[in-house]
Amino acid sequence: MNPADINPPITVLVVDDSVSVRKALERILAPQGYQIRMADSAESALENLEPLPDLVLADILMPGMSGLELTRIMGDRGLNVPVMLMSGIVDEVTQRDAQAAGARGVLRKPFTPAELLPAIEPQVLAALDARAQRDGTAPAAAQPTPVTPMPAAAAPATPVPVAAQPTPTPPAPGQPSAAQPAPFQPAPTFTPAPTYAPAAHSGPLAGLNAVPGVLGATLYDADGERQDQFGPDLPESFAMYARFMVTAAATASHHLNRGDLGSILLSYAGQTLLLSPHRDGQLVTLLASSDAAPAAQRWQAAQHN
């Protein structure tokens, strides 16, 4: 199927609170012949459904209304529009919740064009069928497309960024697949400087480099763009991981009535990272050890006072 041959073109509504995610999907889909509309929240999507899109791609985890709630509401309104959800973690619970909400599938983020395009093609066919039903030109499809995880690409492809984010290599044989619980896969490791020698630094992170035990830091804005940095470079894709983990933890904290999220301490491959919400974005601080976390947190608290 060539989407460019379809007239009028297939309209895809992309719903994600990250502008960089929305732009990345537009860069993948628009050249294929899809017409792209965007919404930065589920609430905004519901307010701007007319004219109806042919297909909705919605993030599951967003501030305010989730993609699951958006899908349920569209179903309750009787809108015959296929919805595919997107999530950084796709496990049995996610798939079950998506199916219960009425979604057609769950896409694992991040993804390459070679993974995304074949995954949405069955839903595009369902969208054409739904369009024909609304127009009264074709009978309803016999069965809805079941919720399935996004298949792996047939061959590795050059990653396309979501928030300028390179995509991890698809799972190797024996690794967890989308049909199995899929633990968070950290970005590639990086090697910190063997010794800490603070140097002069200006900008939003001025002073943090002088905090004992801090080896480096990267500040991202709400769209995953790097605002300031010193010390070892983080992989470019880490902006998405930082945003995902901080947003997930903040949402869980809210639902558990535990107050605002302070920070997350992440240790892997002999490295310690402190991930924190900072202003409208995220601050990722590389520490010599977890013992340095309180001092880094005190520096951050002082910036808000």
Side-chain angles (χ1 to χ4, degrees), residues 26-133:
E26 182 179 37
R27 287 195 296 269
I28 295 174
L29 296 175
Q32 303 297 318
Y34 294 101
Q35 181 175 322
I36 309 301
R37 287 162 48 188
M38 300 184 185
D40 60 6
S41 68
E43 292 85 349
S44 176
L46 289 172
E47 292 173 0
N48 297 281
L49 283 175
E50 296 298 335
L52 278 178
D54 294 298
L55 175 64
V56 174
L57 298 179
D59 193 17
I60 289 182
L61 186 63
M62 295 182 284
M65 185 184 298
S66 70
L68 291 168
E69 294 171 284
L70 170 65
T71 307
R72 291 190 192 98
I73 291 173
M74 292 182 64
D76 291 343
R77 292 184 182 181
L79 303 177
N80 190 10
V81 177
V83 179
M84 291 202 76
L85 298 173
M86 301 179 291
S87 177
I89 297 177
V90 180
D91 55 19
E92 292 180 0
V93 174
T94 303
Q95 295 181 55
R96 184 170 62 246
D97 289 346
Q99 188 170 31
R104 299 296 187 104
V106 184
L107 300 172
R108 185 201 303 270
K109 296 196 301 184
F111 35 71
T112 66
E115 294 167 333
L116 174 66
L117 296 174
I120 69 169
E121 184 167 337
Q123 312 313 325
V124 172
L125 297 175
L128 291 174
D129 181 68
R131 178 196 285 184
Q133 294 172 45

Side-chain angles (χ1 to χ4, degrees), residues 157 159 255:
H255 286 293

Side-chain angles (χ1 to χ4, degrees), residues 263-288:
S263 58
I264 304 168
L265 198 61
L266 176 66
S267 296
Y268 74 98
Q271 300 171 90
T272 301
L273 295 178
L274 183 70
L275 286 73
S276 313
H278 190 79
R279 305 191 189 284
D280 294 328
Q282 299 83 38
L283 174 62
V284 181
T285 308
L286 174 63
L287 305 175

